[in-house]
Amino acid sequence: QVQLVESGGDSVQAGQSLRLSCVVTGYTYAKRCMAWFRQAPGHEREGVASITGDGREIYADSVKGRFAISQDNAKNTLYLQMNSLKPEDTAMYYCAAGPPGLRLETLLPEWYKYWGQGTQVTVSS
């Protein structure tokens, strides 16, 4: 059974940094894709960053140059380093994993099969 558990969300001031973590169990495939999404109240879920098992990455334009996605295979953990946070980054952040064998960096939620419960990030000005 695949499980994704996010952590690291917090309330911070604009300009500060946070690192989100997502511990993944039951999902150890070389050919894979994983991603971070976010959803603010009244808004649709938005893809933030995606990474494949071989390290190909893609980012939403709104976070390029500020956020970085990474993975530690030994720890089965996905990370999202968020720097220079802005109030508009406030949202619930979700970790997602694609079906086994899909090696595609994509920010489209319909490609992802497994989802975590989310961790809240609040950025105040």
Side-chain angles (χ1 to χ4, degrees):
Q1 184 177 359
V2 178
Q3 290 188 324
L4 293 79
V5 179
E6 305 95 334
S7 63
D10 204 349
S11 295
V12 298
Q13 296 285 323
Q16 292 187 320
S17 299
L18 280 176
R19 188 176 79 158
L20 305 183
S21 299
C22 173
V23 177
V24 185
T25 55
Y27 187 85
T28 54
Y29 306 101
K31 291 185 178 180
R32 66 180 183 272
C33 59
M34 299 198 68
W36 288 96
F37 288 81
R38 66 186 181 186
Q39 188 167 18
H43 290 77
E44 293 186 353
R45 191 164 294 191
E46 173 193 19
V48 175
S50 171
I51 188 168
T52 60
D54 57 352
R56 296 199 305 266
E57 303 171 10
I58 188 173
Y59 295 90
D61 288 343
S62 58
V63 306
K64 280 181 182 177
R66 299 189 299 122
F67 290 12
I69 190 171
S70 62
Q71 56 193 349
D72 185 328
N73 294 331
K75 296 182 179 179
N76 293 323
T77 302
L78 183 73
Y79 300 101
L80 184 68
Q81 178 67 43
M82 305 186 295
N83 299 326
S84 302
L85 282 162
K86 304 175 181 180
E88 51 263 43
D89 294 319
T90 295
M92 184 72 78
Y93 282 72
Y94 298 91
C95 172
L102 179 65
R103 188 174 59 189
L104 173 68
E105 63 277 32
T106 176
L107 298 179
L108 298 176
E110 55 264 36
W111 284 99
Y112 293 88
K113 182 176 181 179
Y114 307 104
W115 293 84
Q117 294 300 306
T119 186
Q120 178 68 38
V121 172
T122 302
V123 185
S124 57
S125 57

